[in-house]
């Protein structure tokens, strides 16, 4: 029988009035673990006891526990209750990042990596820009702080803490031109530290990322990916790139045990985990899982982007860099010469602070969930042999086609139906080929074109 | 007695009606030389004869000849008339580029490199952005062409041809995040071509540029600079960075013979000339001299920026790259990950096409000319021992202080008067130290603060 929690003198500083009881409770629990007030191994009170103690519904506590188990803060076993996991430990389910893409020739574009740019909030964006410029002094027009505008870094720190559980102070944030720029800067830092360092990177992903890493001094080692996410096999690497929330493009999440293993590896070897949280806000079946960064802020560089939430054309991304590396990454950015315009940084800051960014994400989440549901229903009807895998999240799905089919034949058939779609092979490192599959991006088509696009894809898939 | 020009069958295809007779004549003459219709060595008709032949004023022809002599297309000697110079040959007077700068602590900032951002056309810029976004399709919000938006490259090609005599097709233009980003990309290209290539760079300039070049794989060789500009001593270099129009910060122009020597060096060795045209539009005493690029487009990478004409905060610059190098620079840009947001690119394109950019430059030119005149007058009155050198151009002037003074003492005195100003030493490569001087930037202060700023500087200088 575990001692009641109160005996450990834990004070959650909880103010559980109001509508966000569960989020507040989760945040308080995470904070208690992070700061050591809840030490690893401590057993938590039952959800019933804690609920009674706090005067809230038992389900709220149970949900919060479940979330923190998924994120790897807590361990749980039926019959043994819930305890604080060992640190570095943990695991949850968070997400991955796509890259540059040429324009499609086909009328219906179901390639992955591009969001519903037709839903870009043009009016609200312009209004935010106008308001921000009107309020700004002349200083913002001069040569900017190499980390990015303070206004944007402050807005991002608040947003990332709130929405993704990221531990971010404005001083640790570096604004960059999308994920690819951030990745290039990190690789430059790593290759300044060591000669030809190894970057472990998931064997499935945008091959452009591997080319960028190689061009910036890294040797590439591919990490196998299975149903539990990337295999924690980064022994000789200086750094590992992961898409924990939503593997790109396989769509699985990184399992708790794998997260724990990567964090242990990082703590043991000094390795750097690069968390590519490209679509972390877009989880449909449950509340998004917090970023892996919060588990080990000193080992993880968190990378986020506006490319999926708003538009790739903005070329706005951000890194949250541990204290021990921040100066090196700033130097790498200065010496790369790349930087974002200050007016767009101001605009994004104003857009976030006005609540427009959250609103945009809520709407997009709804849109993508519906599109995903429609895609699933259509495939089930027209091409039942095709199997959609991966979690209900993001802007893309992996569709495994029957093994006797040839991937290139399938994409050719789709093209003849006017649909551009990529085969998995395009996203696969040599030696890691799997069975035939399509990476279907359901974000890009305009709303009016989506039904036709899916219909044509189904027609192509049914035609064997 | 030279044969009359008509005998050579030259056809200038001139349409000299309208108000831009001289510009049209100059362009036609440049074009005739470039295409070989006017071969080197050919003597030109006297200005009187050509004027009579074309039915225009003699002074117009004489002015055009003078301009082309300054640009190095023609040679001239009193008594021997004017002839077509040997190619590669030429020389003219064009300009140089500044870089990142920390915010000033002092109340009055006379450091060089920042334009009058208080005159940034906020209203017109927002209007251009609104109009451009309203007219744009969703495609501009997707992943952009790595060279930059076609709309902007087309607007720049027209502008650069018209205003700076640059030979630019949209296909040869690469949009980048200011000059420093362009320089980094060029250096990456050069260091991919050869192992530790040498970059010859003027011994006076922003030391950040040298650091960026070194960080991108180059070994640095400093070029001495005298009253005729950089000394053409790039024998072992793969490339040479020049500020031909207006050396930064010494303020001299690159003399015709020096231009010729650099172009000969490039033609002989395959060396690349990087023309940093940072303030090429801002010449006060005469019409701006055309870019050096037009003399040898196959050897020169032209680099321009909106940092001086509009605001450094935009982080918008452009390269015009010869055909033989364009693919390599595009690849370097993709692999650097740096890119500009498409909305700001669209905005600049619309701003240029609307005539707003030209208007802004005309107004700024007037502002800077007046400020320079006021600075000269004030120094003459209050500190007659200080000697202002360099041509009447740009946003900065070099002020040589009497040789017995210590540069750091002078800048300290200025700081005590509330004025931030840099000594030349900050812009000097080791081993190239000169007598004490200040690099005075007269662009940055807001209009209402300029008189006070200059007055305080003069007070500091007078106080010896």
């Amino acid at each position: 029988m575990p001692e009641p929690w109160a005996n450990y003198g834990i004070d959650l500083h909880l103010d559980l009035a109001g509508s966000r009881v569960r989020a507040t409770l989760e945040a308080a629990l995470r904070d208690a673990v992070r700061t050591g007030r809840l030490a690893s191994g401590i057993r938590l009170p039952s959800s019933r006891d804690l609920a009674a103690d706090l005067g809230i519904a038992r389900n709220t506590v149970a949900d919060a526990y479940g979330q923190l188990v998924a994120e790897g803060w807590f361990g749980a076993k039926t019959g043994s209750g819930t305890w604080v996991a060992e640190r570095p430990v943990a695991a949850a389910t968070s997400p991955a990042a796509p890259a540059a893409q040429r324009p499609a020739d086909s009328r219906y574009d179901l390639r992955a990596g591009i969001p519903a740019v037709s839903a870009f909030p043009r009016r609200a964006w312009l209004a935010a820009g106008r308001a921000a410029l009107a309020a700004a002094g002349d200083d913002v027009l001069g040569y900017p702080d190499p980390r990015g505008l303070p206004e944007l870094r402050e807005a991002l720190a608040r947003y990332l803490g709130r929405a993704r559980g990221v531990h971010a102070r404005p001083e640790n944030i570096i604004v960059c031109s999308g994920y690819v720029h951030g990745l290039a800067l990190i690789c430059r830092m790593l290759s300044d530290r060591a000669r030809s360092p190894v970057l472990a990177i998931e064997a499935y992903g945008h091959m452009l990322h591997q080319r960028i890493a190689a061009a910036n001094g890294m040797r590439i080692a591919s990490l196998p990916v299975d149903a539990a996410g990337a295999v924690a096999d980064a022994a000789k690497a200086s750094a590992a790139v992961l898409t924990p929330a939503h593997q790109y493009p396989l769509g699985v999440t990184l399992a708790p045990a794998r997260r724990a293993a990567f964090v242990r590896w990082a703590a043991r070897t000094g390795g750097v985990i690069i968390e590519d949280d490209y679509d972390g806000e877009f989880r449909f079946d449950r509340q998004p899982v917090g970023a892996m960064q919060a588990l080990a802020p000193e080992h993880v560089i968190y990378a986020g982007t506006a490319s999926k939430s708003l538009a790739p054309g903005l070329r706005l991304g951000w890194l949250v860099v541990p204290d021990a590396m921040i100066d090196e990454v700033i130097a790498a950015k200065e010496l790369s010469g790349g930087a974002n315009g200050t007016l767009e940084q101001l605009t994004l800051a104003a857009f976030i602070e006005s609540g427009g960014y959250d609103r945009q994400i809520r709407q997009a989440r709804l849109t993508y969930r519906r599109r995903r549901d429609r895609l699933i229903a259509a495939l089930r009807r027209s091409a039942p042999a095709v199997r959609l895998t991966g979690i209900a999240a993001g802007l893309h799905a992996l569709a495994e086609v029957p093994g006797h089919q040839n991937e290139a034949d399938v994409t050719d058939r789709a093209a003849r139906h006017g649909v551009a779609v990529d085969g998995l092979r395009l996203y696969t490192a040599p030696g890691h080929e799997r069975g035939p599959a399509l990476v279907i991006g359901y974000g890009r088509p305009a709303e009016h074109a989506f039904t036709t696009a899916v219909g044509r894809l189904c027609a192509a898939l049914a035609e064997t």
Side-chain angles (χ1 to χ4, degrees), chain A:
Chain A
M1 173 67 194
E3 296 191 69
W5 197 20
N7 289 8
Y8 294 93
I10 304 300
D11 178 4
L12 286 172
H13 305 298
L14 279 174
D15 173 12
L16 289 174
S19 61
R20 295 174 48 77
V21 174
R22 174 176 154 190
T24 310
L25 176 61
E26 283 177 24
L29 289 169
R30 275 193 209 98
D31 202 53
V33 176
R34 193 181 299 119
T35 56
R37 282 181 286 142
L38 274 178
S40 63
I42 289 184
R43 281 179 186 275
L44 295 154
S46 71
S47 53
R48 181 190 308 266
D49 288 349
L50 184 56
D53 194 48
L54 298 172
I56 60 178
R58 182 186 168 188
N59 274 352
T60 304
V61 178
D63 286 353
Y65 280 11
Q67 176 76 11
L68 293 169
V69 169
E71 293 180 18
W73 299 93
F74 292 173
K77 212 171 174 177
T78 314
S80 312
T82 305
W83 61 88
V84 178
E86 283 193 33
R87 297 201 61 212
V89 92
T93 43
S94 25
Q101 202 125 0
R102 284 114 310 175
D105 294 330
S106 304
R107 286 178 60 195
Y108 298 98
D109 196 351
L110 291 175
R111 292 173 308 158
I114 311 230
V117 286
S118 57
F120 181 79
R122 294 178 180 224
R123 204 184 272 266
W125 185 259
L126 287 169
R130 201 165 47 238
L133 188 54
D138 286 337
D139 277 358
V140 301
L141 296 164
Y143 284 96
D145 185 317
R147 285 172 298 191
L149 277 198
E151 291 88 340
L152 178 56
R153 290 185 286 114
E154 283 157 19
L156 283 171
R158 281 189 288 267
Y159 170 76
L160 292 173
R162 172 163 59 76
R164 304 293 302 125
V166 172
H167 271 244
R169 294 179 310 149
E171 306 82 75
N172 293 78
I173 293 183
I174 293 181
V175 178
C176 51
S177 303
Y179 172 71
V180 290
H181 187 215
L183 177 63
L185 299 180
I186 297 167
C187 292
R188 287 183 72 128
M189 172 197 74
L190 294 167
S191 59
D192 278 349
R193 284 180 162 193
R195 188 178 271 281
S196 294
V198 171
L199 182 71
I201 189 164
E202 293 166 342
Y204 307 90
H206 266 290
M207 293 301 121
L208 174 65
H209 297 180
Q210 305 207 1
R211 289 201 294 125
I212 284 175
N216 288 282
M218 308 299 288
R219 284 181 298 148
I220 305 297
S222 292
L223 293 171
V225 180
D226 60 24
V231 175
D233 180 25
K236 290 172 196 156
S238 297
V241 180
L242 300 173
T243 54
H246 189 212
Q247 206 284 329
Y248 190 83
L250 299 187
V252 299
T253 55
L254 191 59
R258 295 280 173 83
R259 294 189 174 219
F262 275 111
V263 172
R264 275 199 306 272
W265 159 79
R268 195 177 66 242
T269 66
V272 178
I273 294 171
I274 301 160
E275 176 175 24
D276 176 3
D277 194 33
Y278 70 105
D279 71 354
E281 291 97 345
F282 296 117
R283 178 99 193 212
F284 312 140
D285 54 343
R286 50 179 289 178
Q287 192 186 348
V289 171
M292 187 170 168
Q293 188 262 6
L295 289 171
E298 66 281 22
H299 297 301
V300 177
I301 298 178
Y302 172 90
T305 176
S307 293
K308 304 297 167 275
S309 51
L310 283 168
L314 295 178
R315 306 316 301 128
L316 277 165
W318 41 87
L319 302 177
V320 182
V321 182
D323 287 338
M325 307 173 210
I326 184 77
D327 287 341
E328 291 166 273
V329 181
I330 293 171
K333 187 178 173 202
E334 272 200 287
L335 296 172
S336 85
N340 292 91
T342 50
L343 301 189
E344 293 194 336
Q345 293 185 59
L346 264 190
T347 304
L348 179 58
F351 192 63
I352 293 172
E353 297 289 4
S354 73
Y357 192 73
D358 290 77
R359 209 153 36 237
Q360 177 68 13
I361 283 172
R362 273 200 307 276
Q363 286 169 0
R365 195 185 287 134
L366 196 63
T367 302
Y368 296 142
R369 193 178 73 191
R370 286 186 185 144
R371 287 188 177 194
R372 189 184 174 91
D373 290 347
R374 283 157 70 189
L375 175 67
I376 291 172
L379 284 174
R380 202 170 281 155
R381 247 189 341 262
S382 315
V386 171
R387 195 172 141 255
L388 222 62
T389 67
I391 61 168
L395 294 70
H396 78 275
L398 190 75
E400 296 180 350
V401 300
H404 63 277
Q405 295 195 28
N406 179 295
E407 217 175 80
D409 289 347
V410 180
T411 54
D412 285 353
R413 278 209 310 276
R416 281 198 300 276
H417 282 80
V419 175
V421 66
D422 287 329
L424 178 59
R425 192 61 55 92
L426 201 66
Y427 295 88
T428 304
H432 293 266
E433 291 78 6
R434 294 162 51 113
L438 300 181
V439 181
I440 304 175
Y442 44 81
R444 190 177 206 172
E447 198 55 38
H448 66 273
F450 185 69
T451 305
T452 312
V454 170
R456 286 173 175 239
L457 175 69
C458 286
L461 284 169
E463 189 185 87
T464 36

